[in-house]
Short mmCIF file of all heavy atoms in Angstrom, two decimals:
data_model
loop_
_atom_site.label_atom_id
_atom_site.label_comp_id
_atom_site.label_asym_id
_atom_site.label_seq_id
_atom_site.Cartn_x
_atom_site.Cartn_y
_atom_site.Cartn_z
N MET A 26 -2.01 -22.46 -6.87
CA MET A 26 -3.10 -21.86 -6.06
C MET A 26 -3.78 -20.73 -6.86
O MET A 26 -3.07 -19.89 -7.41
CB MET A 26 -2.56 -21.32 -4.74
CG MET A 26 -3.63 -20.63 -3.88
SD MET A 26 -2.98 -19.84 -2.41
CE MET A 26 -2.39 -21.20 -1.52
N ASN A 27 -5.09 -20.75 -6.92
CA ASN A 27 -5.82 -19.63 -7.53
C ASN A 27 -5.95 -18.47 -6.58
O ASN A 27 -6.24 -18.65 -5.41
CB ASN A 27 -7.21 -20.08 -7.99
CG ASN A 27 -7.13 -20.95 -9.24
OD1 ASN A 27 -6.14 -20.98 -9.94
ND2 ASN A 27 -8.22 -21.67 -9.53
N ILE A 28 -5.72 -17.27 -7.08
CA ILE A 28 -5.81 -16.05 -6.27
C ILE A 28 -6.84 -15.15 -6.83
O ILE A 28 -6.84 -14.83 -8.01
CB ILE A 28 -4.41 -15.36 -6.32
CG1 ILE A 28 -3.32 -16.28 -5.77
CG2 ILE A 28 -4.45 -14.03 -5.50
CD1 ILE A 28 -1.90 -15.70 -5.90
N GLY A 29 -7.77 -14.73 -5.95
CA GLY A 29 -8.86 -13.87 -6.34
C GLY A 29 -8.62 -12.44 -5.92
O GLY A 29 -8.00 -12.17 -4.89
N PHE A 30 -9.17 -11.54 -6.70
CA PHE A 30 -9.16 -10.09 -6.41
C PHE A 30 -10.60 -9.58 -6.46
O PHE A 30 -11.21 -9.65 -7.54
CB PHE A 30 -8.25 -9.29 -7.35
CG PHE A 30 -6.82 -9.27 -6.93
CD1 PHE A 30 -6.00 -10.33 -7.23
CD2 PHE A 30 -6.33 -8.16 -6.25
CE1 PHE A 30 -4.68 -10.33 -6.87
CE2 PHE A 30 -4.98 -8.17 -5.89
CZ PHE A 30 -4.16 -9.24 -6.19
N PHE A 44 2.65 -8.57 -9.11
CA PHE A 44 2.76 -10.04 -8.96
C PHE A 44 3.16 -10.71 -10.31
O PHE A 44 3.99 -11.59 -10.34
CB PHE A 44 1.47 -10.64 -8.47
CG PHE A 44 1.11 -10.36 -7.04
CD1 PHE A 44 -0.23 -10.37 -6.59
CD2 PHE A 44 2.10 -10.10 -6.12
CE1 PHE A 44 -0.50 -10.11 -5.29
CE2 PHE A 44 1.81 -9.84 -4.77
CZ PHE A 44 0.48 -9.85 -4.38
N ILE A 45 2.53 -10.22 -11.38
CA ILE A 45 2.79 -10.82 -12.69
C ILE A 45 4.18 -10.43 -13.19
O ILE A 45 4.94 -11.26 -13.67
CB ILE A 45 1.71 -10.37 -13.68
CG1 ILE A 45 0.38 -11.01 -13.30
CG2 ILE A 45 2.09 -10.80 -15.11
CD1 ILE A 45 -0.84 -10.51 -14.13
N LYS A 48 6.90 -12.27 -11.71
CA LYS A 48 6.76 -13.70 -11.98
C LYS A 48 6.46 -14.54 -10.74
O LYS A 48 6.62 -15.77 -10.73
CB LYS A 48 8.03 -14.26 -12.69
CG LYS A 48 8.33 -13.52 -14.00
CD LYS A 48 9.42 -14.19 -14.77
CE LYS A 48 9.84 -13.41 -16.04
NZ LYS A 48 8.69 -13.09 -16.91
N ALA A 49 5.95 -13.88 -9.69
CA ALA A 49 5.53 -14.58 -8.52
C ALA A 49 4.21 -15.28 -8.78
O ALA A 49 3.91 -16.34 -8.14
CB ALA A 49 5.41 -13.64 -7.33
N VAL A 50 3.42 -14.79 -9.71
CA VAL A 50 2.07 -15.33 -10.06
C VAL A 50 1.93 -15.39 -11.51
O VAL A 50 2.28 -14.43 -12.22
CB VAL A 50 0.99 -14.43 -9.40
CG1 VAL A 50 -0.36 -14.92 -9.87
CG2 VAL A 50 1.07 -14.47 -7.89
N HIS A 51 1.42 -16.51 -12.06
CA HIS A 51 1.09 -16.53 -13.47
C HIS A 51 -0.32 -15.97 -13.69
O HIS A 51 -1.20 -16.22 -12.85
CB HIS A 51 1.14 -17.99 -13.97
CG HIS A 51 1.11 -18.08 -15.47
ND1 HIS A 51 -0.08 -18.16 -16.12
CD2 HIS A 51 2.10 -18.12 -16.36
CE1 HIS A 51 0.16 -18.20 -17.44
NE2 HIS A 51 1.50 -18.21 -17.63
N PRO A 52 -0.51 -15.25 -14.75
CA PRO A 52 -1.88 -14.63 -14.95
C PRO A 52 -3.01 -15.65 -14.88
O PRO A 52 -4.09 -15.28 -14.41
CB PRO A 52 -1.74 -14.01 -16.37
CG PRO A 52 -0.29 -13.72 -16.54
CD PRO A 52 0.45 -14.79 -15.76
N SER A 53 -2.78 -16.86 -15.29
CA SER A 53 -3.85 -17.87 -15.29
C SER A 53 -4.27 -18.24 -13.85
O SER A 53 -5.37 -18.83 -13.71
CB SER A 53 -3.40 -19.12 -16.05
OG SER A 53 -2.28 -19.70 -15.40
N GLN A 54 -3.48 -17.90 -12.87
CA GLN A 54 -3.84 -18.17 -11.48
C GLN A 54 -4.85 -17.16 -10.93
O GLN A 54 -5.42 -17.39 -9.88
CB GLN A 54 -2.63 -18.13 -10.58
CG GLN A 54 -1.61 -19.19 -10.80
CD GLN A 54 -0.38 -19.03 -9.87
OE1 GLN A 54 0.67 -18.60 -10.30
NE2 GLN A 54 -0.56 -19.32 -8.58
N LEU A 55 -5.02 -16.05 -11.63
CA LEU A 55 -5.81 -14.93 -11.12
C LEU A 55 -7.21 -14.95 -11.64
O LEU A 55 -7.46 -15.08 -12.83
CB LEU A 55 -5.13 -13.59 -11.44
CG LEU A 55 -3.72 -13.38 -10.86
CD1 LEU A 55 -3.16 -12.08 -11.38
CD2 LEU A 55 -3.75 -13.33 -9.35
N ILE A 56 -8.18 -14.68 -10.74
CA ILE A 56 -9.57 -14.40 -11.14
C ILE A 56 -9.97 -13.11 -10.44
O ILE A 56 -9.80 -12.96 -9.21
CB ILE A 56 -10.54 -15.56 -10.77
CG1 ILE A 56 -11.96 -15.16 -11.15
CG2 ILE A 56 -10.40 -15.99 -9.33
CD1 ILE A 56 -12.93 -16.32 -11.13
N ILE A 57 -10.43 -12.14 -11.21
CA ILE A 57 -10.68 -10.79 -10.67
C ILE A 57 -12.10 -10.33 -10.97
O ILE A 57 -12.73 -10.75 -11.96
CB ILE A 57 -9.66 -9.79 -11.28
CG1 ILE A 57 -9.84 -9.62 -12.77
CG2 ILE A 57 -8.24 -10.28 -11.00
CD1 ILE A 57 -8.99 -8.54 -13.39
N HIS A 72 -3.35 -8.57 -19.64
CA HIS A 72 -2.93 -9.94 -19.21
C HIS A 72 -4.03 -10.89 -19.61
O HIS A 72 -4.92 -11.16 -18.82
CB HIS A 72 -2.68 -9.99 -17.71
CG HIS A 72 -1.77 -8.94 -17.17
ND1 HIS A 72 -0.42 -8.90 -17.45
CD2 HIS A 72 -2.02 -7.82 -16.40
CE1 HIS A 72 0.11 -7.86 -16.84
NE2 HIS A 72 -0.83 -7.20 -16.18
N GLU A 74 -4.55 -14.03 -19.95
CA GLU A 74 -4.90 -15.28 -19.31
C GLU A 74 -5.61 -15.09 -17.94
O GLU A 74 -6.01 -16.07 -17.31
CB GLU A 74 -3.66 -16.14 -19.13
CG GLU A 74 -3.05 -16.59 -20.43
CD GLU A 74 -1.78 -17.42 -20.24
OE1 GLU A 74 -1.91 -18.57 -19.89
OE2 GLU A 74 -0.70 -16.84 -20.43
N ILE A 75 -5.73 -13.85 -17.46
CA ILE A 75 -6.51 -13.58 -16.25
C ILE A 75 -7.99 -13.97 -16.50
O ILE A 75 -8.53 -13.67 -17.55
CB ILE A 75 -6.35 -12.11 -15.83
CG1 ILE A 75 -4.98 -11.85 -15.26
CG2 ILE A 75 -7.43 -11.74 -14.84
CD1 ILE A 75 -4.75 -10.43 -14.81
N GLN A 76 -8.56 -14.57 -15.49
CA GLN A 76 -9.97 -14.92 -15.57
C GLN A 76 -10.81 -13.73 -14.99
O GLN A 76 -10.44 -13.14 -13.99
CB GLN A 76 -10.26 -16.19 -14.77
CG GLN A 76 -9.41 -17.34 -15.15
CD GLN A 76 -9.53 -18.46 -14.07
OE1 GLN A 76 -10.60 -19.05 -13.92
NE2 GLN A 76 -8.45 -18.75 -13.35
N VAL A 84 -15.65 -15.23 -7.56
CA VAL A 84 -14.26 -15.20 -7.23
C VAL A 84 -13.99 -16.13 -6.03
O VAL A 84 -12.98 -16.86 -6.03
CB VAL A 84 -13.81 -13.72 -6.90
CG1 VAL A 84 -12.42 -13.69 -6.28
CG2 VAL A 84 -13.82 -12.89 -8.13
N SER A 87 -13.86 -19.79 -6.89
CA SER A 87 -12.78 -20.20 -7.76
C SER A 87 -11.36 -19.99 -7.17
O SER A 87 -10.38 -20.31 -7.81
CB SER A 87 -12.86 -19.46 -9.10
OG SER A 87 -14.11 -19.65 -9.72
N SER A 88 -11.31 -19.46 -5.96
CA SER A 88 -10.02 -19.09 -5.41
C SER A 88 -9.84 -19.62 -3.99
O SER A 88 -10.83 -19.89 -3.29
CB SER A 88 -9.85 -17.55 -5.35
OG SER A 88 -10.20 -16.95 -6.55
N GLN A 89 -8.54 -19.76 -3.59
CA GLN A 89 -8.28 -20.12 -2.20
C GLN A 89 -7.79 -18.90 -1.44
O GLN A 89 -8.17 -18.67 -0.29
CB GLN A 89 -7.18 -21.18 -2.16
CG GLN A 89 -7.62 -22.55 -2.70
CD GLN A 89 -7.61 -22.57 -4.23
OE1 GLN A 89 -6.60 -22.19 -4.89
NE2 GLN A 89 -8.69 -23.03 -4.84
N LEU A 90 -6.96 -18.09 -2.07
CA LEU A 90 -6.48 -16.82 -1.47
C LEU A 90 -7.22 -15.68 -2.13
O LEU A 90 -7.22 -15.55 -3.38
CB LEU A 90 -4.96 -16.74 -1.74
CG LEU A 90 -4.23 -15.44 -1.26
CD1 LEU A 90 -4.34 -15.33 0.24
CD2 LEU A 90 -2.77 -15.47 -1.69
N TYR A 168 3.46 -18.35 2.50
CA TYR A 168 3.12 -18.14 1.12
C TYR A 168 2.96 -16.62 0.85
O TYR A 168 3.53 -16.12 -0.14
CB TYR A 168 1.79 -18.82 0.79
CG TYR A 168 1.40 -18.70 -0.70
CD1 TYR A 168 1.86 -19.62 -1.63
CD2 TYR A 168 0.61 -17.64 -1.12
CE1 TYR A 168 1.54 -19.50 -2.98
CE2 TYR A 168 0.28 -17.51 -2.49
CZ TYR A 168 0.77 -18.46 -3.41
OH TYR A 168 0.44 -18.35 -4.72
N LEU A 172 5.26 -14.27 -1.44
CA LEU A 172 4.61 -13.60 -2.52
C LEU A 172 4.95 -12.13 -2.54
O LEU A 172 5.35 -11.56 -3.60
CB LEU A 172 3.06 -13.75 -2.39
CG LEU A 172 2.18 -13.20 -3.48
CD1 LEU A 172 2.47 -13.87 -4.83
CD2 LEU A 172 0.71 -13.34 -3.12
#
Side-chain angles (χ1 to χ4, degrees):
M26 178 186 296
N27 285 344
I28 301 174
F30 275 81
F44 288 155
I45 293 173
K48 301 189 185 308
V50 173
H51 191 272
S53 62
Q54 291 178 256
L55 298 174
I56 177 167
I57 66 175
H72 307 291
E74 294 179 79
I75 286 179
Q76 307 167 65
V84 169
S87 304
S88 310
Q89 293 79 50
L90 177 62
Y168 185 87
L172 184 62

